[in-house]
Amino acid sequence: MDAPRGTIQIERVESRVLQGNLPGDPHVRDLYLYLPPGYDRGKERYPVVWCLTGFTGRGRMLLNDSPWAPGIGDRMDGLIASGRVKPMILAMPDCFTHLGGSQYINSPALGRYEDHVIEELVPLVDSKVRTLPGPEHRGVMGKSSGGYGSLVLGMRHPDAFGAVACHSGDVYFEMCYKRDFGPAIRAIRKAGGVGAWMKRFFAVPRKRTEDFPALDTLAMAAAYSPNVGAPPAFCDLPFDLETGEMDENVWKRWLAHDPAYLVDRYAENLKKLALLFLDCGTEDEFYLELGARMLVKRLKALGVAHEYEEFDDGHMNIIYRYDVSLSKLSRALAS
């Protein structure tokens, strides 16, 4: 017998804080909500888990159907039917930008995406559907850049989120980002500079895998080292485009956003969480298991309660790990 199915509700959000963002990205976005089976027949209130997508993703992508890798809505149906997860609402925002993502933080070069989530979307969902309000019933989870966003939002906003799950999140920037700098420099120089590379990238109908290092580097620079007086990239790069020599002043600006170092500042906030769960594959292509281990070491030293798991896989196609985090979040956020 098929499991009872939840429903998907779409809220069209006209954002005040994203209006007029420098790149001209849309300020009207679709917010996807998963409502558990039986929601429409009762008056019960539910915990909410905010689900953040990785780089180049947006909320509705989490619902993509695949026979071997069901979307998050289908996974929730099965998890609820099996008893592994209690009924919850899932909220899937769209924080995509023209460069592929926002890291869910505020940047004058991209927009106020942290404020968009915290000030606009969280209260909107509480007003639109039957949530259990309050951080003790609200969690945030994500993978890769979504894992990064989950960690940072959880660190900075204990008044909004009471539980965090981070899958293969961007941690220890020296290891996970620098690997892209060489290919990025070659691609940008070959194109004739940042402006020429961006113009070519946006013009071609098919984005290529080999474009990713430059795209990722420019997106992270726009998030971590914005400089709106430096068009066309509106950011400072952490290296010299001719020699590749690191610009340590710019790099320090990047590291100021690294969870491996932020943890010292926000340890007391993290101690308020009912759950801090992290995991990573031992074959992660971006070596993020090293950053996860580094973060776990610092969490232990600071006395921050957490759970950490490693699994035998890489960075891609690991949505099955959501079964683990959703189960843990369900227990942590239960009424």
Side-chain angles (χ1 to χ4, degrees):
M1 180 181 296
D2 291 338
R5 298 181 66 84
T7 57
I8 302 301
Q9 179 172 315
I10 305 172
E11 294 290 338
R12 178 58 61 91
V13 181
E14 185 169 350
S15 171
R16 176 184 57 83
V17 303
L18 295 183
Q19 193 165 18
N21 63 81
L22 188 66
D25 288 326
H27 72 283
V28 179
R29 306 285 178 117
D30 286 337
L31 172 67
Y32 282 72
L33 301 174
Y34 168 89
L35 306 178
Y39 177 91
D40 57 341
R41 298 190 300 274
K43 297 182 179 180
E44 183 179 355
R45 291 186 172 271
Y46 301 92
V48 182
V49 176
W50 285 81
C51 305
L52 310 183
T53 54
F55 187 60
T56 72
R58 51 185 174 181
R60 72 181 182 187
M61 293 173 66
L62 290 169
L63 300 167
N64 287 352
D65 177 65
S66 169
W68 289 324
I72 201 167
D74 293 332
R75 306 194 86 86
M76 277 294 289
D77 291 342
L79 290 167
I80 292 171
S82 70
R84 290 181 60 187
V85 168
K86 294 182 179 180
M88 300 188 296
I89 294 169
L90 305 183
M92 295 160 272
D94 174 6
C95 293
F96 183 80
T97 72
H98 70 300
L99 289 176
S102 62
Q103 296 300 91
Y104 303 92
I105 62 176
N106 295 334
S107 164
L110 295 174
R112 293 165 52 195
Y113 287 89
E114 184 171 348
D115 290 346
H116 176 52
V117 173
I118 300 298
E119 297 179 7
E120 295 183 323
L121 297 185
V122 168
L124 175 70
V125 170
D126 284 343
S127 72
K128 290 286 187 178
V129 293
R130 297 195 311 274
T131 67
L132 284 167
E136 65 272 23
H137 303 299
R138 194 183 297 122
V140 58
M141 64 174 284
K143 178 219 163 187
S144 195
S145 286
Y148 171 87
S150 299
L151 278 175
V152 171
L153 294 181
M155 286 179 176
R156 292 177 178 166
H157 301 282
D159 55 333
F161 300 111
V164 171
C166 169
H167 296 283
S168 308
D170 298 4
V171 179
Y172 193 26
F173 291 178
E174 288 98 330
M175 190 63 64
C176 68
Y177 289 146
K178 280 187 173 181
R179 65 187 293 278
D180 282 340
F181 289 176
I185 291 168
R186 284 182 178 174
I188 292 170
R189 284 181 56 80
K190 183 178 180 180
V194 170
W197 185 91
M198 292 176 66
K199 183 177 180 180
R200 185 202 64 77
F201 176 80
F202 294 131
V204 296
R206 185 178 71 84
K207 312 309 179 188
R208 306 173 303 166
T209 302
E210 50 265 41
D211 291 327
F212 183 88
L215 178 68
D216 185 68
T217 299
L218 291 173
M220 299 308 142
Y224 303 143
S225 54
N227 182 352
V228 296
F234 303 104
C235 62
D236 293 323
L237 295 173
F239 46 70
D240 184 281
L241 261 179
E242 181 177 354
T243 66
E245 181 180 4
M246 290 295 295
D247 185 324
E248 294 302 330
N249 290 326
V250 176
W251 185 239
K252 286 178 182 177
R253 293 165 63 190
W254 282 48
L255 296 184
H257 294 277
D258 190 337
Y261 306 111
L262 286 175
V263 66
D264 293 324
R265 187 189 314 171
Y266 293 108
E268 294 307 310
N269 284 351
L270 291 173
K271 290 177 182 179
K272 298 176 183 178
L273 297 174
L275 172 72
L276 174 56
F277 172 70
L278 308 100
D279 74 359
C280 195
T282 56
E283 300 296 325
D284 190 279
E285 290 84 347
F286 304 97
Y287 308 101
L288 289 165
E289 80 278 11
L290 302 178
R293 293 171 190 167
M294 181 178 181
L295 179 58
V296 165
K297 181 179 179 180
R298 296 190 174 192
L299 290 170
K300 289 178 179 177
L302 292 164
V304 177
H306 62 279
E307 300 179 34
Y308 177 59
E309 295 181 8
E310 291 188 358
F311 53 93
D312 184 19
D313 208 339
H315 192 77
M316 313 301 177
N317 303 314
I318 56 170
I319 192 172
Y320 62 87
R321 292 296 300 176
Y322 291 178
D323 292 4
V324 178
S325 56
L326 288 168
S327 178
K328 292 179 180 292
L329 287 165
S330 173
R331 293 193 295 271
L333 302 174
S335 57

